[in-house]
Amino acid sequence: MCLDSSPASASDAQTRFVNSYQSGDTYSGEWKNNTRHGEGTMIWVELGQRYIGKWEHGVQHGLGKHIWILKNISGTHYFQSPHYMGDFFKGQRHGQGSFYYAGGAIYRGGWKNNTKHGQGKFTTKDGRKLEVEFVDDKMLTARSTDGLPVLESDLSVVGDDMALNLESLLEKVPERNRRTELKHVESVVSLHRSELRIIYGFYSRLGRSPDYSLLMSRLQLWRLLKDCSIHAHELPLTRIDFFIKGEASGEEIHSPFTTVHLRELLSCLVVVAYCIYHKDMMSQRHLLASCFSKLITDNILPNARKVKGFLFRQPGFAVEAVKYTERCWEVFEAFCRVYVSHRDDRIMTFRHLMLMFKHLHLLDDQLTFMRLVKIITAARADPPCVELEITFLEFFEVLVGCAKVKCLQVSETLEEDQVLLGLTIKSAENLPEEETDEAKGHSQLTGNVETGEMKSQDEQIPPFAEHEVRQHEEDVHKNRTKTQTHLLLQLQMFLEHHFFPAVAHYHRVTEKMEEVLLKEAQNSKGL
């Protein structure tokens, strides 16, 4: 969270300084040895956060106040921005501190590594006083000071950046029930808050270097939704884009670079859950919470972080491949205007995608029409309708898949390529390949059925000598690195030597044709 950047003019002696970063973030306070040190205020504009308090060697350390700035949204009953006041240790909430939730609840007590930990006191939204004990953000005990039973609704809180915006969805609920319905949705969020944070952080880092920590982008959101097979419920990802529209313009709604905050992701998932399951859950007392709980338990938790598709499955390859997304997004936008010129938003269908490959003359003996169709349908159980709208992620992953077919021979020999990629001519013709049990993380089990004692086959094989194991691990790492490098070379060759030149040629021909038509029109008027 703390941006390790400092003004070039800051001296080694402790001094006060105001610095504005290129991102728009600002720091005002004391500096020492070119880092934030002492009293200071940091404002993260994009993250919507502010910290006021002590710093040490560039990170929050000592007493401070961290605020998550939220807008008060009508219908959600949030009347304050959530904030923490208390001890920080090396950039984390650690020690004693108080957290003031957006809905009005307050926790005062122990903290450890950014989580509630130890004894504390909890004041509910309705003012009830509870004595509580937490371990790693999970509540172990809760006892009310008034002697009355502790209800589940008393413990329903949504903290810091997890506050929901369900204004449009709550309109489907009778007004008298909206507050209760929202509380039950928040209870589902609280129940799975740790897992949801882990999932958000995991997808936020896809295609980025390991130390890169920023907000999730729509490109990464689409990957999460596809991994969880949300699109299989006849709910196009392009429609889901509108669930988190916010203040985005028509062009930004479908942009892969638009950021998605954690609270926006959660709000989006609640709406998705309602769209998918509301007909099946009509008999449930709390409809929104029931739908959301089903989505979390049936779709999100079992499937999230099992990355599919051509782009993100190889981390090293993905980091380099996403560097082409800006240029490819420009192409995507351009052909959206060609095929759907009457719409402001950037939408393309599978039919448009196939037309683009035809108009760019990219199909040949290697990349045939049928192979293109197989690449397009690689991640789908059923063949998609040609008029189905697609996101930029699906567009870009088709380009990656085509690169594997069209640029198979980027090494010295075809045989070397086949060894590196684990492909044969037959497998290239039958994309996508089925995953083996080993690739899926499964192991074959054998053992005594009567006793239930099971052992994996690996356990029954005598262990390797230590140096052999080390050598094997090194070989695996080298092969993985070599494979990722090879995949990147394929993508680079396809984009730089085939795709981008074809796009440039198409635009030149189109411009010349427009000039000819314009001259003919002018000549006809002159006659």
Side-chain angles (χ1 to χ4, degrees):
M1 184 190 311
C2 301
L3 304 180
D4 189 16
S5 178
S6 56
S9 59
S11 64
D12 290 344
Q14 187 163 329
T15 182
R16 294 195 64 83
F17 203 94
V18 177
N19 186 44
S20 297
Y21 300 87
Q22 292 182 350
S23 62
D25 301 340
T26 59
Y27 173 78
S28 174
E30 296 177 323
W31 288 83
K32 185 178 181 181
N33 297 330
N34 282 333
T35 61
R36 296 181 287 270
H37 193 93
E39 291 282 348
T41 299
M42 182 77 194
I43 299 175
W44 295 273
V45 176
E46 186 178 6
L47 294 176
Q49 298 178 27
R50 178 188 295 121
Y51 173 76
I52 307 165
K54 291 284 189 178
W55 296 81
E56 187 171 299
H57 305 304
V59 299
Q60 298 148 299
H61 190 87
L63 289 176
K65 179 179 181 180
H66 196 111
I67 306 169
W68 288 261
I69 304 169
L70 298 179
K71 295 180 180 179
N72 189 19
I73 303 168
S74 174
T76 56
H77 304 286
Y78 298 131
F79 54 85
Q80 65 177 345
S81 290
H83 56 279
Y84 169 85
M85 297 177 62
D87 296 327
F88 285 84
F89 182 77
K90 294 184 178 180
Q92 295 187 321
R93 300 188 291 275
H94 191 96
Q96 292 293 310
S98 301
F99 198 99
Y100 297 79
Y101 292 89
I106 305 172
Y107 168 76
R108 297 182 176 91
W111 292 79
K112 181 181 178 182
N113 300 330
N114 265 351
T115 64
K116 295 182 286 294
H117 191 90
Q119 303 289 331
K121 297 185 182 298
F122 187 83
T123 304
T124 70
K125 301 175 184 178
D126 300 323
R128 293 193 67 192
K129 307 291 185 181
L130 307 177
E131 294 180 353
V132 295
E133 181 180 1
F134 281 89
V135 173
D136 294 332
D137 231 21
K138 295 185 181 295
M139 187 180 293
L140 297 184
T141 61
R143 184 177 65 85
S144 64
T145 57
D146 56 16
L148 297 176
V150 178
L151 304 177
E152 182 180 353
S153 58
D154 293 329
L155 306 178
S156 174
V157 296
V158 176
D160 46 61
D161 53 349
M162 303 184 84
L164 303 173
N165 175 11
L166 304 178
E167 183 177 2
S168 59
L169 193 58
L170 286 171
E171 292 177 357
K172 302 179 182 296
V173 178
E175 188 173 357
R176 65 181 182 277
N177 298 333
R178 290 176 185 175
R179 184 179 180 87
T180 302
E181 190 72 50
L182 181 62
K183 282 186 176 181
H184 281 82
V185 174
E186 291 174 351
S187 295
V188 179
V189 174
S190 297
L191 180 63
H192 301 290
R193 59 185 296 131
S194 298
E195 296 98 326
L196 292 169
R197 285 188 184 279
I198 290 172
I199 291 170
Y200 181 87
F202 175 84
Y203 281 90
S204 297
R205 290 188 293 272
L206 286 184
R208 292 167 171 168
S209 57
D211 58 345
Y212 205 97
S213 179
L214 276 181
L215 298 176
M216 178 185 286
S217 68
R218 284 193 191 249
L219 187 70
Q220 296 158 335
L221 169 64
W222 294 327
R223 185 66 267 161
L224 167 62
L225 296 174
K226 287 180 72 67
D227 288 344
C228 297
S229 299
I230 301 301
H231 60 295
H233 293 270
E234 298 182 356
L235 185 62
L237 300 185
T238 52
R239 181 183 170 193
I240 296 176
D241 286 342
F242 288 95
F243 297 167
I244 48 175
K245 176 181 177 181
E247 299 178 357
S249 64
E251 295 182 1
E252 294 173 336
I253 290 174
H254 303 296
S255 169
F257 312 112
T258 302
T259 56
V260 180
H261 292 79
L262 176 57
R263 60 179 179 271
E264 292 176 315
L265 169 65
L266 298 178
S267 301
C268 171
L269 292 180
V270 176
V271 180
V272 167
Y274 175 81
C275 292
I276 293 176
Y277 293 121
H278 75 278
K279 292 182 180 179
D280 299 329
M281 310 293 286
M282 290 299 294
S283 61
Q284 299 297 317
R285 183 177 179 184
H286 302 291
L287 179 61
L288 300 186
S290 298
C291 292
F292 185 45
S293 180
K294 184 173 179 61
L295 182 80
I296 294 296
T297 55
D298 290 4
N299 300 93
I300 304 299
L301 296 184
N303 299 300
R305 298 197 289 166
K306 298 177 182 178
V307 180
K308 304 172 185 175
F310 292 118
L311 176 58
F312 290 118
R313 290 180 67 179
Q314 299 276 3
F317 165 77
V319 170
E320 297 300 321
V322 295
K323 295 177 181 178
Y324 283 100
T325 52
E326 288 192 17
R327 292 176 66 185
C328 291
W329 170 245
E330 292 175 359
V331 176
F332 182 87
E333 286 188 298
F335 278 90
C336 285
R337 288 190 290 268
V338 170
Y339 298 130
V340 199
S341 58
H342 64 282
R343 295 179 61 167
D344 293 331
D345 51 342
R346 299 296 176 252
I347 293 293
M348 182 182 288
T349 66
F350 280 116
R351 181 173 65 86
H352 296 148
L353 181 59
M354 291 185 284
L355 277 175
M356 184 193 75
F357 272 81
K358 178 182 177 181
H359 293 158
L360 295 179
H361 303 288
L362 291 172
L363 301 178
D364 54 21
D365 293 339
Q366 289 178 304
L367 183 59
T368 64
F369 178 78
M370 290 307 300
R371 287 181 182 173
L372 175 61
V373 171
K374 289 179 180 179
I375 292 170
I376 291 174
T377 59
R380 308 186 68 90
D382 301 319
C385 171
V386 293
E387 297 301 331
L388 183 66
E389 295 176 344
I390 63 174
T391 64
F392 175 75
L393 172 65
E394 293 157 309
F395 173 87
F396 191 69
E397 289 203 327
V398 167
L399 297 183
V400 176
C402 289
K404 293 182 178 182
V405 174
K406 197 171 181 68
C407 300
L408 185 63
Q409 301 182 51
V410 297
S411 298
E412 294 181 359
T413 65
L414 178 61
E415 289 77 11
E416 182 181 357
D417 286 332
Q418 293 171 344
V419 170
L420 288 174
L421 296 173
L423 294 174
T424 63
I425 297 298
K426 183 177 180 180
S427 67
E429 293 176 349
N430 293 279
L431 289 172
E433 294 181 291
E434 292 291 330
E435 288 184 304
T436 63
D437 285 338
E438 182 180 358
K440 294 178 181 177
H442 299 164
S443 61
Q444 300 295 325
L445 297 178
T446 60
N448 190 322
V449 178
E450 294 180 355
T451 63
E453 182 180 359
M454 306 298 289
K455 294 183 179 180
S456 69
Q457 290 181 346
D458 291 341
E459 292 177 307
Q460 297 180 353
I461 300 174
F464 291 110
E466 184 176 349
H467 71 279
E468 292 177 325
V469 173
R470 189 181 302 111
Q471 183 62 47
H472 174 71
E473 292 175 347
E474 291 177 357
D475 291 342
V476 170
H477 176 72
K478 288 179 181 178
N479 288 336
R480 184 182 296 116
T481 302
K482 197 171 183 180
T483 299
Q484 293 187 23
T485 301
H486 182 79
L487 294 175
L488 182 60
L489 288 174
Q490 287 180 313
L491 180 63
Q492 290 174 337
M493 177 172 286
F494 174 70
L495 293 178
E496 299 291 356
H497 296 278
H498 297 279
F499 185 67
F500 292 142
V503 171
H505 177 73
Y506 174 86
H507 287 318
R508 286 195 300 269
V509 171
T510 302
E511 290 174 1
K512 288 183 179 180
M513 290 180 62
E514 290 176 351
E515 291 176 1
V516 170
L517 292 174
L518 180 60
K519 288 182 179 179
E520 290 180 352
Q522 291 174 344
N523 292 335
S524 62
K525 287 182 179 180
L527 294 176

